[in-house]
Amino acid sequence: MAMLLRFAWRNIWRNRRRTVITLLALSFGVMAIVTMHSFREAANAAMFRNITAGLVGHAQVSARGYHDSPETSQVVKQPAAVAARLRAAVPGATTEQRVLGGGLAGAGEAASPVTILGIQPDNPGAAGLLQIQAGRSLGSAAGNEVVIGTGLATELGVGPGDELVLVGQATDGSLANDRYTVVGTADAGSHEANATTVFLHLEASQSFFVLGDAVHLIVVRLPVEAEALARPLASLREAAGLDDLEVLGWTEILPELESATNAKRQNSRVLDFIVFLIVALGVLNTMTMSTFERTREFGMLASLGTRRRRILGMVLLEALLQGALGFFIGTGLAAVVLYGIGTVDLSSVVGDADVLGARLSGAIELAVLPEAVRGAAVVTVLTMIAGGVLPAVRASRLKPVEATRYV
């Protein structure tokens, strides 16, 4: 094997110009695949972190059918006990209770339909929901105070210290209404949330909708990657343990987002195939010329008793050796580009834009991802085999008498 490697190394440098051109094409193909895959997945990971750390969480527990047809009367009873079971089922998981309902908010002459969201201000997960832009966050004790999204504050013309009237439908059929003081305006993580959401203390929202101690949602955040949910979700569903409750992962709550992400990944595979095809044609041309120029040499090897499969393996080894060189050079170039850039700040480009209700991340930290390298390695091997197999077969099938006469 060592001798074959020495021969292969010698042979690929017989025509240095042709080999360099092939290596450049392959290296830039690998660099493109690794760089684009790493950037796309880094952007996805940042967006998924925003989703799971924000309003949606990794999973949500609710009354069965609530997500299909939300009703204020569909509640999770004894939420503290349910939350304790969920945390026990997945070590490291955290839970957050929420009340969610619709209503009408009014201030002076202005009014707007709103989403009323009851949160636990002291819960670390709930604290991460809001980035206060003016004023302060909700107090630890329940009171007649609210924080509203920045978009809604602009629409109603209110700010910290102003009065807001909320009107809604209580679960007992009565008209829910009360006056609240706006203590802060906040960025709620998406354009839609900023334009429509009013945040109350959990107990204040339970009182507003006459829920007792019940809630509409228990949001669960897990100590796993955003897309590694299969096993923890199974544990959470077993822990919920009641026929009237359901546990949904964020991909089930936002199926359009998952579909869009998968579509982008599929498009990336198409791009990988195009790169594969272009480079493979170049390799095929290079290896064809190389074997054509060495026809006499292959004939002499065959005359000396070298088996066809050995000649086939030698030519394929040359192709794979070039592929290995191109792969390592391309991966190195991708690392230089990604780590050289470091962090990409897209805030000036994306602003507060949402994609299917999810906030795009402004700052993306770039790195060479192992799955990108693995994908590029597979493409490289397939490229070199596809480009080298026909010349290798041709070389192995040469007739010794005719080949040794070739000049």
Side-chain angles (χ1 to χ4, degrees):
M1 186 63 183
M3 183 177 294
L4 279 177
L5 282 172
R6 286 198 298 271
F7 284 151
W9 180 259
R10 181 202 65 182
N11 290 332
I12 66 175
W13 294 110
R14 282 185 171 187
N15 191 317
R16 292 179 180 273
R17 179 179 297 178
R18 191 163 55 213
T19 298
V20 168
I21 292 174
T22 302
L23 288 177
L24 284 175
L26 184 59
S27 298
F28 281 110
V30 170
M31 182 186 72
I33 291 173
V34 173
T35 302
M36 289 187 293
H37 182 105
S38 297
F39 178 83
R40 185 191 69 243
E41 292 304 317
N44 286 342
M47 182 169 63
F48 296 157
R49 282 194 298 272
N50 287 346
I51 291 169
T52 55
L55 286 171
V56 179
H58 287 90
Q60 294 182 1
V61 181
S62 63
R64 188 165 299 279
Y66 176 80
H67 283 281
D68 294 329
S69 179
E71 297 289 344
T72 309
S73 58
Q74 294 176 291
V75 296
V76 178
K77 298 177 180 179
Q78 299 180 327
V82 175
R85 292 202 304 271
L86 297 172
R87 291 192 299 270
V90 181
T94 60
T95 60
E96 174 202 343
Q97 299 177 36
R98 290 184 191 163
V99 166
L100 183 62
L104 185 69
E109 299 293 326
S112 176
V114 295
T115 298
I116 301 171
L117 185 61
I119 62 174
Q120 299 170 291
D122 294 334
N123 186 294
L129 291 177
L130 305 174
Q131 295 181 7
I132 299 298
Q133 304 297 304
R136 62 173 176 84
S137 59
L138 295 170
S140 300
N144 278 37
E145 58 184 32
V146 296
V147 170
I148 63 176
T150 52
L152 181 61
T154 300
E155 182 177 352
L156 296 179
V158 297
D162 293 331
E163 188 177 78
L164 189 74
V165 176
L166 291 180
V167 180
Q169 180 76 41
T171 56
D172 62 359
S174 63
L175 180 67
N177 63 93
D178 210 338
R179 294 177 180 272
Y180 298 87
T181 299
V182 177
V183 296
T185 61
D187 178 357
S190 75
H191 180 75
E192 181 180 358
N194 286 342
T196 61
T197 308
V198 176
F199 296 89
L200 279 72
H201 192 287
L202 182 69
E203 293 179 10
S205 62
Q206 288 170 327
S207 175
F208 182 82
F209 289 111
V210 193
L211 295 175
D213 65 349
V215 298
H216 294 116
L217 297 172
I218 298 178
V219 177
V220 184
R221 296 184 177 86
L222 302 167
V224 297
E225 294 295 327
E227 295 185 276
L229 294 181
R231 183 173 296 179
L233 276 180
S235 299
L236 291 175
R237 284 168 180 149
E238 183 178 354
L242 294 175
D243 293 337
D244 58 345
L245 296 181
E246 65 180 356
V247 180
L248 298 179
W250 72 265
T251 55
E252 298 168 291
I253 298 169
L254 298 173
E256 299 88 353
L257 182 60
E258 185 186 28
S259 297
T261 302
N262 291 337
K264 289 181 181 179
R265 288 171 174 162
Q266 189 64 37
N267 292 338
S268 178
R269 294 188 186 98
V270 173
L271 182 60
D272 291 351
F273 176 76
I274 294 173
V275 172
F276 158 80
L277 188 61
I278 293 172
V279 178
L281 290 174
V283 173
L284 174 62
N285 178 65
T286 299
M287 296 303 299
T288 299
M289 291 299 297
S290 176
T291 55
F292 182 75
E293 292 171 355
R294 294 158 58 197
T295 299
R296 182 181 176 85
E297 176 185 331
F298 291 131
M300 293 182 64
L301 289 173
S303 298
L304 294 173
T306 305
R307 295 181 178 180
R308 288 186 174 184
R309 63 183 181 184
R310 191 172 183 84
I311 296 175
L312 177 69
M314 183 171 63
V315 177
L316 282 177
L317 183 60
E318 292 174 18
L320 291 173
L321 187 56
Q322 290 184 73
L325 285 173
F327 170 74
F328 286 115
I329 293 171
T331 303
L333 290 174
V336 170
V337 171
L338 292 170
Y339 289 113
I341 296 175
T343 300
V344 177
D345 186 4
L346 300 179
S347 56
S348 60
V349 178
V350 301
D352 62 351
D354 300 341
V355 174
L356 299 174
R359 171 66 57 84
L360 292 173
S361 181
I364 300 174
E365 186 175 348
L366 301 179
V368 176
L369 299 183
E371 55 266 32
V373 175
R374 287 194 294 269
V378 171
V379 171
T380 300
V381 171
L382 293 177
T383 298
M384 301 315 292
I385 291 176
V389 68
L390 289 178
V393 170
R394 177 185 177 278
S396 68
R397 290 182 176 178
L398 288 172
K399 295 180 179 180
V401 175
E402 296 178 2
T404 52
R405 291 177 180 174
Y406 181 82
V407 178

